[in-house]
Amino acid sequence: MTTALPRKPAHHERTSPTRRRRRVSWSLITAIVFAALFALAAIAPGVLATDDPTAQNFADALQSPSLTHWFGTDEAGRDLYSRIVHGTRESLLIGIGAAGIALTAALVLGSIAALADRVTASIVNRIIEVAFAFPSLLLALLLVSILGPSPWTQVVAVGVSTAPGYARMVRGQILSAKNAGYVEAARALGHGWWRILGRHVLPNAIRPLVAVFTMAIGQSIVWASGLSFLGLGVAPPSSEWGALLDAGRASILQAPWLTFIPGLVILVLALTATTIGTHIQNSLEKGR
């Protein structure tokens, strides 16, 4: 009888776990570096900026990216790189504010939907489902058209329009925590419901929101920039990234970098927030 030789692991089986860990590590390090740069630009833009973002020099108008102007210049000869750096603070504040509104509303609605009496929970659930079924972009556009375009309108519109999806997630987290084994054990030990709610249910339901909040910042900035690009957000000559997209639209054929580069910066920030948020989420799940 012949003895079967042990199967040699396939190449991807031998290398994929190590490569995956290395890839995650490098992606996280890269995201942290970009996050640090964005934070520095928001806190102290003068450290990174090379020019005055408002200084006009029509002789240098619409210059392509070069060693003198890294991201080129706009129609007024203003340095695009410096304008992006100085616009970081406003863009981040809009993203953080919108994410904060969305998750606060989601926490309130999701908690009521999961913990209230049957009639109240049913009503709130219907409200969440109807709002979730309504296209978020249309809801944001509706709110902006009613309230009028402004930075604060952007924050409210993006926050309210994205809240229903997060509310469903919060409701699911609380219901899952309510039915967990440790809650049943606490009840068996005679602990009161409010003590169980405060010490077990809500902490375990809210903990994942740390990761969600990080990812929501990037998403909110993308949404707010989209509103500005449609002319319903912060108006030029603001350096907010969406306003830069809107301003560059008029010269997109002659100077495509005015639209492409701000859009790329928005994409990088969204990917940075998503990468860090995903890592936080994975760490929380491993720590359970």
Side-chain angles (χ1 to χ4, degrees), residues 98 102 140 143 153-163 219-221 223-224 227:
L143 291 173
T153 301
Q154 273 185 304
V155 171
V156 173
V158 174
V160 171
S161 61
T162 55
Q219 181 191 14
S220 298
I221 290 176
W223 280 76
L227 291 176

Side-chain angles (χ1 to χ4, degrees), residues 1-209:
M1 182 178 65
T2 58
T3 302
L5 294 175
R7 185 177 67 89
K8 185 178 180 181
H11 179 70
H12 71 278
E13 294 177 348
R14 289 182 282 120
T15 60
S16 59
T18 302
R19 287 185 176 180
R20 191 180 300 113
R21 286 193 296 270
R22 187 180 299 126
R23 189 185 308 120
V24 170
S25 299
W26 279 111
S27 64
L28 178 61
I29 291 172
T30 303
I32 291 174
V33 170
F34 275 113
L37 290 175
F38 286 129
L40 180 60
I43 296 171
V47 175
L48 296 178
T50 57
D51 293 276
D52 183 351
T54 61
Q56 299 183 1
N57 184 2
F58 290 95
D60 293 336
L62 299 180
Q63 287 193 5
S64 59
S66 63
L67 293 177
T68 305
H69 300 286
W70 296 349
F71 291 173
T73 61
D74 62 10
E75 69 283 352
R78 293 171 295 195
D79 184 71
L80 180 60
Y81 166 74
S82 298
R83 287 179 61 75
I84 288 176
V85 170
H86 280 267
T88 304
R89 179 183 301 170
E90 189 171 5
S91 298
L92 281 177
L93 287 177
I94 290 174
I96 293 172
I101 289 176
L103 292 182
T104 301
L107 185 60
V108 173
L109 293 175
S111 298
I112 295 174
L115 300 173
D117 60 86
R118 183 174 299 180
V119 175
T120 304
S122 178
I123 294 173
V124 174
N125 273 320
R126 297 292 79 77
I127 293 174
I128 292 174
E129 294 299 329
V130 170
F132 183 76
F134 196 82
S136 299
L137 179 58
L138 291 181
L139 180 58
L141 292 173
L142 177 63
L143 291 173
V144 171
S145 63
I146 293 174
L147 301 175
S150 72
W152 292 112
T153 301
Q154 273 185 304
V155 171
V156 173
V158 174
V160 171
S161 61
T162 55
Y166 298 131
R168 296 181 74 197
M169 184 201 69
V170 171
R171 175 181 175 273
Q173 290 284 345
I174 293 178
L175 290 176
S176 177
K178 279 177 61 178
N179 299 321
Y182 53 81
V183 172
E184 296 296 330
R187 286 175 176 171
L189 292 173
H191 294 173
W193 169 241
W194 288 108
R195 182 180 179 184
I196 295 173
L197 182 66
R199 294 189 61 181
H200 300 290
V201 176
L202 288 181
N204 283 281
I206 294 173
R207 187 171 60 171
L209 293 183

